[in-house]
């Protein structure tokens, strides 16, 4: 198992934009429909903005009309970790980067029934698209 990437808050703040830091390191959420949530046919991989670990394939992105990028599965079992989240008076499953613990979003059981039935609802500021990978 890989060792987790650990940095001080000051190091994360120096590396990330204020919005990326707020979302990924402070478990924030970007406003719906404010980021890049569009579905395209372009081949590529979405990486963590904090540590550049590969997380999601564009081929598994779908239009959920929720205002955030949605995927039906992560790149692999080792890409993300899921944690129980009771913040904001809700019971949800938080999704974090398995390599650096960056908050990515949440997973819900209302995804496409013809694939996994899951919807990984991910903040667009937490991921960076690498086309052609």
């Amino acid at each position: 198992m890989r060792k987790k990437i650990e940095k001080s808050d000051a190091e994360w703040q120096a590396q990330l934009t204020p919005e990326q830091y707020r979302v990924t390191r402070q478990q924030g959420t970007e406003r719906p429909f404010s980021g890049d949530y569009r579905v395209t046919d372009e081949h590529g991989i979405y990486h963590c903005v904090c540590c550049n670990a590969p997380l999601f394939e564009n081929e598994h992105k779908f239009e959920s009309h929720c205002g955030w990028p949605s995927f039906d599965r992560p790149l692999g079992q080792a890409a993300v970790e899921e944690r129980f989240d009771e913040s904001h008076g809700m019971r949800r499953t938080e999704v974090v980067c398995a390599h650096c613990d960056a908050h990515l979003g949440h997973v819900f059981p209302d995804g496409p029934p013809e694939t996994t039935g899951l919807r990984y609802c991910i903040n667009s500021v937490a991921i960076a698209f690498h086309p052609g990978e």
Side-chain angles (χ1 to χ4, degrees):
M1 183 175 201
R2 287 174 68 173
K3 183 177 172 161
K4 293 261 187 183
I5 296 168
E6 295 181 15
K7 295 183 180 183
S8 69
D9 280 339
E11 289 173 306
W12 287 124
Q13 285 177 320
Q15 174 187 328
L16 304 167
T17 69
E19 181 69 351
Q20 288 171 330
Y21 178 80
R22 185 185 71 77
V23 169
T24 62
R25 308 320 305 178
Q26 297 181 314
Q27 288 71 38
T29 301
E30 67 188 351
R31 288 186 346 265
F33 302 102
S34 65
D36 184 9
Y37 58 89
R38 295 166 290 130
V39 175
T40 69
D41 292 334
E42 189 171 10
H43 179 73
I45 306 253
Y46 287 89
H47 290 249
C48 175
V49 296
C50 293
C51 71
N52 202 36
L55 301 172
F56 298 95
E57 286 183 275
N58 195 44
E59 285 79 1
H60 296 291
K61 190 176 186 184
F62 66 94
E63 181 54 69
S64 66
H65 305 284
C66 70
W68 293 277
S70 296
F71 302 87
D72 70 355
R73 69 193 79 170
L75 188 60
Q77 288 183 332
V80 300
E81 293 177 2
E82 297 178 8
R83 300 177 179 165
F84 188 64
D85 176 10
E86 285 189 304
S87 64
H88 307 290
M90 296 179 269
R91 291 178 170 220
R92 303 179 289 178
T93 303
E94 179 187 19
V95 178
V96 300
C97 174
H99 305 285
C100 72
D101 288 332
H103 170 75
L104 303 172
H106 292 86
V107 60
F108 302 97
D110 60 358
E114 65 276 4
T115 60
T116 64
L118 299 173
R119 174 173 57 98
Y120 286 81
C121 185
I122 306 299
N123 290 285
S124 66
V125 298
I127 54 178
F129 185 60
H130 294 212
E133 284 189 353

